[in-house]
Amino acid sequence: MELIMANPYFQFKQFTIYHDRTAMKVTTDACLFGAWAAQEISQMPNIATMLDVGTGTGLLSMMVAQQKALETDAIEIDPDAAAQASENIKASPWATRIHVIQQDVNDLQPGRAYDVVISNPPFY
């Protein structure tokens, strides 16, 4: 019996997402949601900050970053996923604008406000 491994990365035009160390893999749904969210957010005037809750691989943060220059906090509770998101983002053109935070969203600094919040929650 031959074991066939799924591709450990997902290639976009401007960036690559590695997802071999995260529980939640890049899916068609995540790509479609990311494209829709990026388009919607790109049309919002007067916003400068974004929070990506449960960033996973960092996919949504980077898809939005392609369309709009925002300072983004990408929060992820899982240490392996946060590490992989950090690596993905550091290798992207938007490394200075997206900041991965490895912690529970409930422990975010009180009073910190964001202009827009996105999340692609897991589904089954």
Side-chain angles (χ1 to χ4, degrees), residues 25-36 59-60 63 120 123:
K25 307 301 183 200
V26 173
T27 64
T28 302
D29 290 342
C31 294
L32 291 172
F33 177 65
W36 174 83
L59 174 66
L60 296 183
M63 291 185 83
N120 186 18
F123 59 92

Side-chain angles (χ1 to χ4, degrees), residues 11-15 66:
Q11 181 71 49
F12 292 83
K13 283 186 178 182
Q14 296 183 32
F15 63 95
Q66 290 181 111

Side-chain angles (χ1 to χ4, degrees), residues 17-80:
I17 293 285
Y18 286 86
H19 60 165
D20 55 305
R21 296 188 331 257
T22 63
M24 303 309 285
K25 307 301 183 200
V26 173
T27 64
T28 302
D29 290 342
C31 294
L32 291 172
F33 177 65
W36 174 83
Q39 178 65 30
E40 290 295 312
I41 292 167
S42 73
Q43 297 175 24
M44 295 178 179
N46 304 319
I47 64 169
T49 61
M50 181 176 80
L51 175 64
D52 178 3
V53 178
T55 197
T57 61
L59 174 66
L60 296 183
S61 291
M62 288 191 280
M63 291 185 83
V64 171
Q66 290 181 111
Q67 301 286 327
K68 185 106 172 164
L70 301 174
E71 286 295 319
T72 299
D73 286 343
I75 192 164
E76 175 57 53
I77 195 169
D78 180 72
D80 291 333

